[in-house]
Amino acid sequence: MKIKLGVVYVLVLIVLIAGLQACKQKQVKSVPTDSFNAGRATFVADESFSPIVAQEEYVYRSRYPNADPVFIYKTENQAVNMLLNDSVRLAVLSRTLDTAERNIITRRTLSVEEVPFAVDAITLIVNKASNDTAITVAQLKKELKGQGNGNKTIVFDNPNSSLVRYLKDFSGNKEFKQKNIYALKSNIEVIKYVSEHPDALGIIGFSWINNPEKEYADYVEKVKVVGVRDEGNKQYPNEYFKPSQESLVLKQYPLSRSLYLINCSSKNGLAAGFVTFLASDVGQRIILKSGLLPDSIPPREIILKK
């Protein structure tokens, strides 16, 4: 009997030791692996803004070689869900979180920091062979509602993208079920489709066409940007404007949206470091060079010599 009790005591002791070791391992795993400008962290970005996010990431890495931000590109819906599921703590979006979404995050004792960093232009493109060079806001809304003449094929990116949400809000149309309106898979596919179809009207983000990568630069050469007139603009009701930093800052171009960094990390880690970088003079100059409008226009120093 004594022998059996001794065996039991040994087994209990082994279980306790194993439990303590497991707790130590869990503690080690929970230790943060990133600091303000060093270490690794995973972020998510709306795939519509991958050109500008990739530029910012490249310069950030070159300035902070010990930092390893890993960006995952998803649709807007997927990116928001990753935040809400606590898969990531930083997202690049074209909207802020609503009250219900903020509550989900704050219930986990996390803070929500929403930092605007740029303004993007919703850009309309047509084939270079097309005679269409201008459209009014009212005409565009009619086309999106299926009230136009239907002789134009309208194409945009993924049906779950931030651009589609913008167009639904803009037109007051909850669904695009018209036969002449199609959602493709990406902004590059939209540019390619328009470059090959003279009757198409493509809707994309400005950064995709302003400074294109070699991968699709040939397609960009075969399209042109359409001017837009907003009849409701009290200052410029009769003028057509194309997207540019000037037309955005003067509020002449009517189709624009702000870009935000949504930081839910609640610590002074890599997410905070990247947010600080994008809001800095260097980060905003990258936005300026990309053709988008920086949230804070960097000052230009001029030295006058006698």
Side-chain angles (χ1 to χ4, degrees), residues 145-163:
K145 289 180 179 180
Q147 298 170 356
N149 53 27
N151 62 354
K152 276 281 181 193
T153 300
I154 301 175
V155 291
F156 39 74
D157 64 351
N158 192 292
N160 295 313
S161 73
S162 57
L163 178 59

Side-chain angles (χ1 to χ4, degrees), residues 99-287:
T99 302
E101 292 164 345
R102 289 176 66 90
N103 288 340
I104 290 173
I105 292 172
T106 54
R107 277 200 295 268
R108 297 199 299 266
T109 66
L110 297 173
S111 61
V112 179
E113 180 188 20
E114 299 171 329
V115 181
F117 69 94
V119 177
D120 182 30
I122 305 298
T123 306
L124 310 182
I125 58 173
V126 294
N127 189 285
K128 277 199 171 178
S130 173
N131 294 323
D132 295 329
T133 58
I135 192 171
T136 67
V137 167
Q139 288 173 328
L140 180 59
K141 287 182 178 180
K142 282 185 177 181
E143 291 290 345
L144 292 172
K145 289 180 179 180
Q147 298 170 356
N149 53 27
N151 62 354
K152 276 281 181 193
T153 300
I154 301 175
V155 291
F156 39 74
D157 64 351
N158 192 292
N160 295 313
S161 73
S162 57
L163 178 59
V164 173
R165 176 184 55 79
Y166 175 95
L167 294 174
K168 287 179 179 178
D169 293 342
F170 168 78
S171 64
N173 191 7
K174 293 183 179 180
E175 297 293 336
F176 296 125
K177 296 182 179 180
Q178 299 89 322
K179 293 182 179 180
N180 65 319
I181 299 180
Y182 298 96
L184 302 179
K185 293 181 180 179
S186 67
N187 283 271
I188 294 178
E189 284 199 11
V190 172
I191 299 170
K192 182 177 184 293
Y193 185 92
V194 174
S195 72
E196 297 171 347
H197 296 81
D199 65 336
L201 172 67
I203 307 178
I204 59 173
F206 186 57
S207 61
W208 288 93
I209 198 169
N210 186 59
N211 188 22
E213 298 286 340
K214 291 181 180 179
E215 174 190 356
Y216 62 96
D218 289 343
Y219 302 139
V220 173
E221 291 295 323
K222 298 174 184 177
V223 303
K224 57 186 176 182
V225 177
V226 175
V228 183
R229 175 166 68 90
D230 182 8
E231 310 92 315
N233 189 317
K234 294 181 179 179
Q235 285 186 288
Y236 313 100
N238 301 313
E239 298 179 53
Y240 290 88
F241 294 96
K242 292 183 179 181
S244 68
Q245 289 171 335
E246 181 181 2
S247 65
L248 287 172
V249 75
L250 295 176
K251 300 188 183 301
Q252 297 167 328
Y253 188 72
L255 310 176
S256 65
R257 56 181 175 174
S258 295
L259 308 188
Y260 299 89
L261 290 160
I262 313 296
N263 180 15
C264 307
S265 64
S266 299
K267 69 174 185 176
N268 201 26
L270 199 61
F274 191 77
V275 170
T276 301
F277 171 74
L278 254 71
S280 71
D281 182 78
V282 174
Q284 292 292 283
R285 286 188 186 279
I286 296 170
I287 301 292

Side-chain angles (χ1 to χ4, degrees), residues 39-84:
R40 167 175 282 208
T42 301
F43 308 141
V44 67
D46 185 325
E47 58 194 5
S48 301
F49 315 122
S50 60
I52 185 59
V53 174
Q55 290 177 44
E56 294 281 5
E57 180 192 351
Y58 177 81
V59 178
Y60 179 74
R61 284 177 175 274
S62 67
R63 291 174 69 89
Y64 304 102
N66 293 326
D68 185 21
V70 179
F71 275 95
I72 301 172
Y73 293 100
K74 298 288 185 178
T75 66
E76 180 180 81
N77 292 344
Q78 291 171 328
V80 172
N81 285 336
M82 289 184 73
L83 269 183
L84 301 183

